Amino acid sequence: MAAPALTRCVARPGVLPLGQAWGRAARLPPGPPPAQRRAFSNNRVLVELDESAGVATMKFKSPPVNSLSLDFLTEFCISLEKLENDRACRGVILTSAVPKIFSSGLDITEMCGKSTEHYAEFWRAVQEMWLRLYSSNMVTVAAVNGSSPAGGCLIALTCDYRIMAENPKFSIGLNEAQLGIVAPFWFKDTFVNVVGHRVAERSLQLGSLHSAPEAHRIGLVDELVPEEKLKDRATAVMQQWLALPDHARQLTKTMMRKAVLDRLVAHREEDIQYFISFISKESIQKSLRMYMEMLKKKKS
């Protein structure tokens, strides 16, 4: 499952590639670039870079629900790496090319009936996605244009700013408890940093999925806009953030996030082993099988 590509994306145990993202020198603003757009696309992620604005858009295009499979995570990391190393890019907007869904979260099929080695490879890729995005020097804006449970919510939480389409049918939240799964400590830490301890504690224990208005009320998303205005609003917010000097913003971001990042880096292998032990339990495998059967019945 694209293991060769993953080696480009995953660092040695406990070590981030690309020179520690939160420890390296701040990116210098690029000189005036030519007014042009560059696009590159993998099977599951489409990236378009507007060099004149210094802003890229990453669109998830892995139907039916943009689930975070090993292949998707690998392509996501590679795409983010390209943008991080491109001096013309100062910010990235994350959104979906699949109607009504931002991302459904971790791909259940990657966690059910597989080998210990596969579980380790998959979980390392999930960690890598979060480490890269949470430590990115770029401004990151989530334009949430559909429902975003579990790992999809994590992607949004990991960004600097979250804008959600004002649609009563869309929901967002870390609902792992509903599947009998415990959200990892770094999911929890990210959630607490956004909504506060009490809201996070209640939401995680109940496995809550919040409607768009409720998500805005508790601070899970920063603002709601009509769906047709989401792209323009994300662009406007990005311009506001990029109006600040890069070095000051980047150093502030590092200061605010370093402790949470360092905690996972220090316990990365331990976290992988815990995931393998937990997901391999027969009770958990049974719960996942039942959930997949339920999804099959819904489709039929």
Side-chain angles (χ1 to χ4, degrees), residues 51-95:
E51 292 187 328
S52 62
V55 177
T57 301
M58 286 181 64
K59 292 184 178 180
F60 308 151
K61 59 180 188 77
S62 185
V65 291
N66 289 333
S67 59
L68 306 183
S69 64
L70 182 56
D71 287 345
F72 180 97
L73 292 165
T74 301
E75 292 185 10
F76 181 94
C77 285
I78 291 172
S79 297
L80 201 63
E81 176 183 356
K82 288 180 179 179
L83 295 176
E84 195 75 45
N85 289 336
D86 192 328
R87 292 176 64 85
C89 185
R90 299 172 61 210
V92 58
I93 296 170
L94 305 182
T95 193

Side-chain angles (χ1 to χ4, degrees), residues 4 16 21 45 50 54 78 91 98 112 116 137 157 159 165 174 184 210 219 232 237 239-240 249 258 266 280 284:
L16 274 178
V45 180
D50 183 346
I78 291 172
V98 178
C112 190
T116 297
N137 272 333
L157 286 169
C159 291
L174 295 179
H210 305 279
D232 289 343
V237 167
Q239 291 173 348
Q240 291 174 356
R249 179 192 54 75
K258 185 176 186 299
S280 299
I284 302 301

Side-chain angles (χ1 to χ4, degrees), residues 220-233:
L220 177 50
V221 298
D222 295 296
E223 59 180 286
L224 302 178
V225 298
E227 196 166 355
E228 67 274 11
K229 297 182 179 180
L230 185 61
K231 179 180 178 181
D232 289 343
R233 182 56 188 156

